[in-house]
Amino acid sequence: MALAGDMAKGRLAIIAGSGLLPSHVATAARHAGENPFIVALKDEADRSWEGFDHAVIGVGDFAALNRVFESNGIDRVVMSGAVRRRPEWREVRPTLKTLVKLPSTIRTLLAGGDDTVLRMVITLIEENGRRVVGAHEIAPDLLASVGPLGALQPSADDKKDIIRAAEAADALGRLDVGQGSVSVGGRIVALEGVEGTDSMLERVANLRSAGRISARRRGVLVKLCKPQQDIRADLPSIGISTIENLRQAGLAGVAVEAGRSLILERDAVIKAADEAGIFVCGLDRGLPSWGLA
């Protein structure tokens, strides 16, 4: 009898939203000898999946998703990429096994935070016989490590801002609201909501240009995994766009949670950060002062 985790007995599916992460996961899976099947989310996925077996399925169409899994021998599923919009209740199509949960599913979609919704989606997938695995399990090289990742290190003032922003991001995460916070001179000036990190940084840039934020103090962005988060989905991530938005916002750098955050196109991100005079570092919530000492 095959074990549930026997990678040789079943096929990997990658549920792809927008952004670069699904492509990184698919490439890493192929390098590991997998033949991943791509489930591109309708009106969300923004990459071409030519060269991969793939299907386009609407967000919330669990019945179609399960049919694809059944017909392609899927036993493991990775959820990757951003999803901008939650489905309307009319778009939710449950499987027969999960039909009884339709009322609670709709309530969660309407009122639950992102982590709550993702936990629900994981449960619905696994109740139909598949196992959900994290993107970092397929592409472990994307994970951030502890300490400075580029040529620059945070200054003493930056470290104070990191600790302050980390406290705010941790509290925000416990409320299942967002993963990011910006501190400038010890003052929390922005918290991430449903708009996402890039839009939050654009807001910081606008506040800076309007004189609402100190022009002398640079400040930092911190992104943390929510304390209660299921790390198989929606790990904090940064990429080239993050560095460019940090530069436009006048921030000194970004700190992310080591082992629980992803850096997309690491070499390019570090090169861009070094050229822009921006630090990138990894934090460990289990160490004193987040490992900054």
Side-chain angles (χ1 to χ4, degrees), residues 59-90:
V59 178
D61 194 344
F62 294 102
L65 185 66
N66 195 56
R67 288 194 296 271
V68 166
F69 290 168
E70 291 283 357
S71 61
N72 289 279
I74 303 300
D75 70 347
R76 288 157 297 122
V77 181
V78 176
M79 298 163 58
S80 64
V83 176
R84 295 178 294 272
R85 181 185 72 86
R86 295 185 184 186
E88 299 290 337
W89 68 267
R90 298 177 185 84

Side-chain angles (χ1 to χ4, degrees), residues 96-116:
L96 289 175
K97 284 186 178 180
T98 58
L99 184 60
V100 69
K101 292 191 173 183
L102 183 58
S104 63
T105 296
I106 292 172
R107 285 196 300 271
T108 299
L109 287 171
L110 291 174
D114 286 347
D115 186 59
T116 302

Side-chain angles (χ1 to χ4, degrees), residues 118-140:
L118 289 169
R119 284 176 181 271
M120 176 196 69
V121 172
I122 289 171
T123 297
L124 292 173
I125 290 173
E126 294 197 327
E127 284 182 346
N128 279 283
R130 276 85 209 176
R131 182 168 62 92
V132 175
V133 298
H136 61 288
E137 297 179 64
I138 306 300

